[in-house]
Structures are given as structure tokens and as C-alpha cells.
Amino acid sequence: MRDGILVINAGSSSIKFSLYISDGDDKPLLSCKGQVEGINVAPHFIAKAPHGGVLNEQRWPDQPNLSHSALFKYMIQWIEAQLGDAELKAAGHRVVHGGSLYSQPLLINDDLMAELETLVPLAPLHQPHNLAPIKALKEVHPELLQVACFDTAFHRSNPWTAQSFALPRKITGEGVKRYGFHGLSYEYIARQLRQIAPAVARGRVVVCHLGSGASMCAIHEGKSIASTMGFTALDGLPMGTRTGTLDAGVVLYLLQQKGMTAKEIEDMLYKQSGLIGVSGVSNDMRVLLESSEPHATEAVELFVYRISRELGSLAAAMGGIDALVFTAGIGEHSPQVRERVCKHAEWLGVEMDDEANQRGAQMISTMESPVSVWVVPTDEEMMIAKHTREVLQSVKVA
Ligand code: AMP
């Protein structure tokens, strides 16, 4: 019998799922994916086939406040009806925070859950929502093997210097340090590179994960050395609606001089800044690239400028750079942004092949370029499915 592996990625207002079927091959096969969104407002369930055809859709117009767990149970029942001759063997969850200790995906038990609960203060906007479906699934399927895959885990190989703020030791000891995020995406890219270009994968690579959340990571010999995200996913590059790096003095100013509350500042930094804040037009890069509004043009300029500055910093962390990789929504689909980043990076030895870039080729640098440049689509769900299957296999063997 084939194994069904469920991947869950839950946020505050949505729960995304992907169902994979594995018969032991290297790559689990995506069977269907979907989400419940609009939780507490206008719940909406949609499920799609791998190539996008809608398989099922459901709304609850009379029950806008239908609970998280009721919606989750509806979703699980629908998923189980899709298994065919496969058996649901395991569920892998994206858990944003694994703290300082966890550098690997882990089989979930009560002790681990208690540990992960203690990390909620470090990621209050995400961690509780990541843990909720683990508990809900345990109620429905107490025996199902569940695996936690951490967004911070890949960066635990960072040297001490890359993980530290220059704060008093006491506060650092309480866990105020740089954790880094988007780790599942970077790990997936590092594994893909090993297949696409093994020599490149052994070198010094900077990966630009440019989506609605955006960050960059320095990877040497497949291991994370440094990244632009820090204590939270607010640090580093400007994003769709998040500021990226900000002088901490600005937060003090907003608090002390403007009299803003912590909640108002949180909203400003997470939801009203970045591309939307600078442009006043949109958080969507496609809209900004097509807009003739001067502030939209400046938002793109600032985004590219910050990427270019961070690229220098990450190259310095590795003592140089051999390859540059673009991934996620903007990185995979915007030749304009890639071209502008590569232009700024000529001083590092980047020579872009314009035609290959426009065509969306896998390698978009010239053959002579001292630094090769790649476009590699990311797939965090597949990474979670692979991890979950690895844990499942290790449990079977033990
Ligand atoms: P992600 O979070 O990885 O799904 O990326 C989402 C973002 O990618 C969107 O907000 C868009 O700004 C951006 N994006 C998607 N397609 C394109 C495109 N063709 N050109 C520029 N940006 C794009």
C-alpha cells in the first residue's frame, strides 16, 4: 500500500494543505492541495489538482464564525476521501520557530509540544497557529505520526557571530538573537542545486527568496552561514507589507514621541510598510513594475537597492561568492528585478545573459561569468513532505 503524507501550513486566517503520495521514490507525488481561508470572517475551502483544476469548493455564508477546529475537521475528512488506495501515514507541519536547539525536523510528542509552546512569545503571530492543527489532528487521529519542520532549523549552522545581536548578555541568554527564517525554502534550494549543478552547490552561494515575504541567505557547502532575517521575520529586505531592517531608534521615536501603542507600531511595521508603504500603490511587484506613479518606481528602486546591499554583506560573510540564485514569486517570475539586481552586482563578478534571463532559463549568467546566476523554483511543501517521509522511514526501521 502507498503512503499518504499530509503537509500542513497554518496561519492566523488560513490553513493550507498539500497531500502527497509516496511509494518510496525519491520524490513524493503531489496528489492535491488547497486551503481554508477567511477564517472568522468568511470561511472558504478550496482544493485543487496539481495543475490547478478545482476539485472542491465550499463556503459557509451562514456561519462566518465557524471555529478553526470545525473547519480543520471538514478539511481532513475531504482529504481522507481522496486517498484512494493509499493510507494516511504521517502529517508534516510547518512550524515557524524551533528556537536555538532544533536543527532537524522532529517527531512530535507531548514533550516536544510543551517545548514548542514555550517558544510562542518569540513568534506570537505565527507559532500558536502552527501548533493548533497539530493538536486538532491528534484529536481526530491520535495514532498518526506527526512531524514538526522548522523554518529556523536550516540556519542553526550559522556561526555565533551571525546569530548574535550586540545586546547585553542577559537578554541574549533569554533567546533574543538572530534565528533566520525561510529555512525550508533555502534547504529545498540547496538540495535542488546539488542535482542541477553539484559543483556550484559545494561553493559559496547567495539565495534570494523574493516573494511577498523576502529574505536572502548565504550558503556555503550546502550549509547556511548567514541570512537577512533575524529575531523575527521582520528583519532584512523590505517585503510586500513589512519594513525589513529598521533602526531600532525609529521604534522608540514612534513610542515616545508619536505616542503610538505597541499594537499600532506592530501593524505599521508588519502590514503597512515595505512595498505598499513606500509606493502607496500596491504590495504586488507586478503592479509596481507596470505603474507610472513615481512612488511605485521608488519602491522598486528601494527593494533592489536593499537586495544589492545585503548581497555585499552576505558575500563578505563567506569571503566571496560563486553563485547567485533567485527564487519565490518575484525571483522566479520577474526578469526586470533579476536584471536590476544583477546589474548592481557586476562589481562582484556577475555577468547576466540578457536573453536567457528574459526567456526564464535555469542558468541566466553568461558562460564566462565568474559568478553563475540561477533561477530555481522553491517548494517548501515538498521539503516538508520529504522530511516527513524521512522521519516516517526512520521510525519504520527502528
Ligand atoms: P510568493 O510569496 O513567493 O508567492 O510571491 C508572491 C509575489 O510574487 C507577489 O506578491 C508578486 O509581487 C510577485 N510576483 C508574482 N509573479 C510576478 C511577476 N510575473 N512579476 C513580478 N512579480 C511577480
Side-chain angles (χ1 to χ4, degrees):
M1 181 173 281
R2 298 180 308 154
D3 294 344
I5 294 175
L6 177 61
V7 169
I8 301 280
N9 181 0
S12 58
S13 63
S14 72
I15 309 171
K16 295 187 183 136
F17 79 87
S18 303
L19 177 64
Y20 291 85
I21 304 295
S22 166
D23 40 20
D25 288 347
D26 178 48
K27 205 171 168 215
L29 209 66
L30 180 63
S31 165
C32 56
K33 60 183 175 179
Q35 60 181 331
V36 180
E37 55 186 3
I39 299 172
N40 292 322
V41 189
H44 173 214
F45 172 77
I46 186 161
K48 294 183 176 175
H51 296 296
V54 175
L55 297 172
N56 186 268
E57 207 170 356
Q58 177 77 31
R59 292 177 198 272
W60 293 266
D62 303 331
Q63 296 167 279
N65 296 319
L66 202 62
S67 72
H68 223 271
S69 78
L71 290 164
F72 187 71
K73 281 177 188 157
Y74 175 88
M75 191 174 98
I76 293 296
Q77 273 177 5
W78 185 86
I79 292 166
E80 286 187 297
Q82 313 307 308
L83 282 164
D85 68 346
E87 186 184 349
L88 187 59
K89 284 288 181 60
H93 298 262
R94 180 188 201 161
V95 177
V96 73
H97 224 300
S100 303
L101 292 179
Y102 302 132
S103 56
Q104 300 286 340
L106 289 174
L107 189 59
I108 298 171
N109 57 26
D110 290 345
D111 290 345
L112 179 64
M113 277 302 273
E115 280 285 327
L116 297 181
E117 296 276 4
T118 69
L119 299 174
V120 165
L122 297 184
L125 301 181
H126 296 99
Q127 193 86 340
H129 305 295
N130 301 157
L131 301 184
I134 300 175
K135 295 175 209 159
L137 199 48
K138 195 176 173 203
E139 272 178 32
V140 190
H141 284 299
E143 303 305 323
L144 186 70
L145 187 143
Q146 298 200 62
V147 176
C149 300
F150 306 107
D151 243 344
T152 49
F154 187 60
H155 303 296
R156 298 287 56 77
S157 51
N158 284 190
W160 174 84
T161 39
Q163 297 196 52
S164 302
F165 294 118
L167 281 166
R169 288 277 177 175
K170 185 173 178 307
I171 190 96
T172 307
E174 289 170 12
V176 182
K177 50 191 263 190
R178 301 175 55 88
Y179 292 97
F181 297 88
H182 282 147
L184 292 159
S185 172
Y186 292 124
E187 192 177 6
Y188 180 81
I189 298 290
R191 285 198 191 191
Q192 287 295 99
L193 263 189
R194 284 212 293 268
Q195 291 177 3
I196 298 167
V200 172
R202 286 192 291 275
R204 297 163 299 180
V205 182
V206 171
V207 181
C208 306
H209 176 114
L210 309 179
S212 44
S215 71
M216 294 164 69
C217 181
I219 302 178
H220 189 199
E221 292 177 350
K223 291 200 170 67
S224 171
I225 298 297
S227 79
T228 59
M229 279 182 169
F231 179 59
T232 65
L234 197 55
D235 203 4
L237 302 178
M239 307 174 215
T241 63
R242 287 175 249 166
T243 49
T245 298
L246 184 74
D247 175 353
V250 174
V251 177
L252 297 177
Y253 170 80
L254 297 175
L255 265 174
Q256 294 167 342
Q257 306 302 322
K258 300 283 287 181
M260 287 174 71
T261 64
K263 180 76 188 121
E264 285 167 343
I265 297 174
E266 178 186 289
D267 269 4
M268 179 190 276
L269 303 187
Y270 275 93
K271 297 186 180 151
Q272 300 160 23
S273 299
L275 298 179
I276 183 75
V278 177
S279 70
V281 172
S282 174
N283 61 350
D284 189 321
M285 183 56 81
R286 285 166 289 200
V287 176
L288 300 183
L289 288 168
E290 279 172 18
S291 170
S292 53
E293 286 284 326
H295 288 178
T297 308
E298 282 179 358
V300 180
E301 226 167 76
L302 184 53
F303 184 68
V304 170
Y305 173 80
R306 293 296 329 172
I307 295 169
S308 310
R309 291 265 308 254
E310 294 291 351
L311 183 55
S313 165
L314 294 172
M318 293 186 291
I321 172 176
D322 302 307
L324 179 63
V325 177
F326 290 96
T327 193
I330 302 170
E332 290 166 31
H333 302 296
S334 177
Q336 297 102 306
V337 170
R338 294 194 299 255
E339 181 183 339
R340 290 169 70 167
V341 170
C342 286
K343 260 242 133 345
H344 278 266
E346 279 175 355
W347 68 279
L348 277 169
V350 170
E351 288 173 19
M352 171 167 268
D353 177 336
D354 292 329
E355 186 274 325
N357 180 42
Q358 289 302 329
R359 180 160 47 89
Q362 189 167 60
M363 191 178 117
I364 58 171
S365 49
T366 63
M367 294 305 285
E368 300 75 34
S369 179
V371 174
S372 62
V373 186
W374 306 80
V375 179
V376 181
T378 193
D379 191 342
E380 288 152 295
E381 278 74 23
M382 174 62 84
M383 194 66 244
I384 297 171
K386 286 187 173 192
H387 277 317
T388 304
R389 199 192 49 182
E390 284 160 13
V391 173
L392 176 65
Q393 282 169 344
S394 70
V395 170
K396 278 182 182 168
V397 168

